[in-house]
């Protein structure tokens, strides 16, 4: 277990950590999930992968933290109880805010033990993501790691300051974020793709044979943009996740339910829908469609 050192000692709950230690020498691969407490798909990916490993056939060690943000997970919420986003406080500070101390504890006690790290996420706030990996493709070690995950879609990005991906990569640990699906619900299709990518990674690192085979590789996206709503109302989508779109194509409309007036949301360029908001009530400026340039 790992202790997040967030609550007072007499009631502190240790965070479970799963470790598969191989009979043969090899690298240390770490998997972190539910850094945001409402993201469930990654938890299931860790379970599937960890309990599929045969230690006698494993070279190296796999460390899985299925629920990093146990505080948020218990409340079904994305953030810590102090309303901070844990994924904006890495590598953390032992003398900082509550979120910064949790981040520091995880980073020092677990992340620094890793040779490679994959941080598992979903879309946020009623948004869903096409299964994809994100990493700094200007870093050759990250590029090599990304290739090891097989045919999954790749999106270039260093990550915002304070993200686990950026902090770990800056510390010399090649790191990717694996995004798949949306928050609060368990999506088996997204989990299956994520598990397949992680099994492929173990195989390509010569850690554990997987037998996974991919169809044609998915595209790499070096640029992407969130398209925002220009009015408030009810969002009604006309495209699907993963769909290829053309410049000027109507992605969806936002309709005022009282006046029945609406406006169309148009694709700003040719691309593919990497993420999108679920149909819902949105405010002006709400990020609705994440379009990537192949």
């Amino acid at each position: 277990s790992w202790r997040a050192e967030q609550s007072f000692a007499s009631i502190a709950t240790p965070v479970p950590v799963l470790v598969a230690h191989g009979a043969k020498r090899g690298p240390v691969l770490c998997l972190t999930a539910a850094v945001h407490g409402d993201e469930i798909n990654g938890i299931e990916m860790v379970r599937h992968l960890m309990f599929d490993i045969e230690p006698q056939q494993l070279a190296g060690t796999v460390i899985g933290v299925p629920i990093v943000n146990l505080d948020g997970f218990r409340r079904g919420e994305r953030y810590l109880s102090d309303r901070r986003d844990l994924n904006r406080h890495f590598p953390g500070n032992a003398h900082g805010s509550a979120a910064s101390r949790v981040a520091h504890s995880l980073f020092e006690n677990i992340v620094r033990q890793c040779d490679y790290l994959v941080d598992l996420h979903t879309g946020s706030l009623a948004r869903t993501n096409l299964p994809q990996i994100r990493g700094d493709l200007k870093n050759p070690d990250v590029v090599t790691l990304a290739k090891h995950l097989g045919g999954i879609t790749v999106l270039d990005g260093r990550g915002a300051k304070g993200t686990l991906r950026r902090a770990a990569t800056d510390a010399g640990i090649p790191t990717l974020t694996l995004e798949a699906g949306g928050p609060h619900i368990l999506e088996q299709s997204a989990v299956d793709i994520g598990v397949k990518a992680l099994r492929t990674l173990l195989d390509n690192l010569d850690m554990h044979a997987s037998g996974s085979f991919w169809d044609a590789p998915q595209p790499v996206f070096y640029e992407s943009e969130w398209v925002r709503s220009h009015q408030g109302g009810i969002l009604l989508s006309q495209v699907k996740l993963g769909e290829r779109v053309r410049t000027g194509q109507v992605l969806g409309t936002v309709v005022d339910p009282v006046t029945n007036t609406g406006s169309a949301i148009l694709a700003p360029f040719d691309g593919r829908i990497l993420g999108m908001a679920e149909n819902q009530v949105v405010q002006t400026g709400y990020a609705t469609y994440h379009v990537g340039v192949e």
Side-chain angles (χ1 to χ4, degrees):
S1 63
W2 156 66
R3 291 187 179 274
E5 301 173 9
Q6 182 183 8
S7 185
F8 47 96
S10 59
I11 64 167
T13 303
V15 177
V17 178
L18 303 175
V19 180
H21 189 55
K24 295 170 282 187
R25 291 184 180 275
V28 178
L29 170 66
C30 292
L31 308 172
T32 49
V35 169
H36 294 129
D38 60 355
E39 298 181 352
I40 301 173
N41 287 337
I43 301 172
E44 184 69 353
M45 290 180 202
V46 173
R47 183 184 73 85
H48 267 281
L49 189 76
M50 295 299 299
F51 288 97
D52 189 50
I53 292 173
E54 295 290 343
Q56 292 301 318
Q57 300 173 14
L58 177 65
T61 302
V62 182
I63 299 173
V65 190
I67 309 173
V68 170
N69 183 359
L70 193 58
D71 175 26
F73 176 77
R74 283 174 163 166
R75 293 178 287 106
E77 295 185 2
R78 178 178 178 84
Y79 303 119
L80 294 168
S81 55
D82 66 353
R83 303 305 303 158
R84 285 186 168 91
D85 184 340
L86 179 58
N87 206 31
R88 292 297 183 272
H89 288 82
F90 290 101
N93 185 332
H95 306 289
S97 66
S100 191
R101 292 179 188 224
V102 172
H104 177 268
S105 178
L106 179 76
F107 205 84
E108 295 302 317
N109 288 291
I110 295 177
V111 174
R112 288 196 185 276
Q113 317 305 319
C114 309
D115 295 312
Y116 306 100
L117 174 64
V118 181
D119 188 27
L120 308 174
H121 284 268
T122 73
S124 63
L125 306 174
R127 299 185 184 91
T128 185
N129 284 326
L130 184 74
Q132 60 192 260
I133 52 175
R134 300 178 181 178
D136 183 3
L137 299 185
K138 297 178 182 64
N139 184 315
D141 294 330
V142 173
V143 172
T144 299
L145 183 63
K147 290 180 178 179
H148 285 339
L149 275 85
I152 192 169
T153 296
V154 182
L155 177 61
D156 180 34
R158 186 182 179 190
K161 185 178 180 180
T163 57
L164 179 53
R165 173 172 92 234
R166 179 166 171 173
T169 299
D170 288 348
I173 303 162
T175 300
L176 295 168
T177 298
L178 196 163
E179 295 267 356
H184 293 295
I185 59 174
L186 185 63
E187 299 163 283
Q188 195 59 54
S189 60
V191 170
D192 290 345
I193 294 174
V195 170
K196 183 178 181 180
L198 294 173
R199 285 174 176 163
T200 304
L201 174 60
L202 286 175
D203 200 342
N204 287 328
L205 289 174
D206 295 322
M207 294 179 68
H208 196 272
S210 71
S212 294
F213 297 96
W214 292 82
D215 296 327
Q218 294 299 303
V220 176
F221 298 86
Y222 283 92
E223 295 180 30
S224 66
E225 178 182 319
W226 274 99
V227 185
R228 297 180 180 274
S229 169
H230 295 302
Q231 77 166 66
I234 298 174
L235 173 65
L236 301 169
S237 289
Q238 297 183 25
V239 294
K240 296 180 180 179
L241 198 62
E243 184 174 330
R244 286 181 170 83
V245 297
R246 307 292 294 179
T247 303
Q249 179 177 339
V250 176
L251 305 179
T253 57
V254 177
V255 179
D256 186 315
V258 177
T259 64
N260 197 35
T261 57
S263 63
I265 301 172
L266 307 180
F269 44 74
D270 294 353
R272 190 176 180 188
I273 304 297
L274 301 180
M276 59 187 289
E278 303 288 353
N279 286 343
Q280 59 187 284
V281 176
V282 300
Q283 302 297 322
T284 302
Y286 191 80
T288 52
Y289 302 95
H290 190 193
V291 183
V293 182
E294 293 187 28

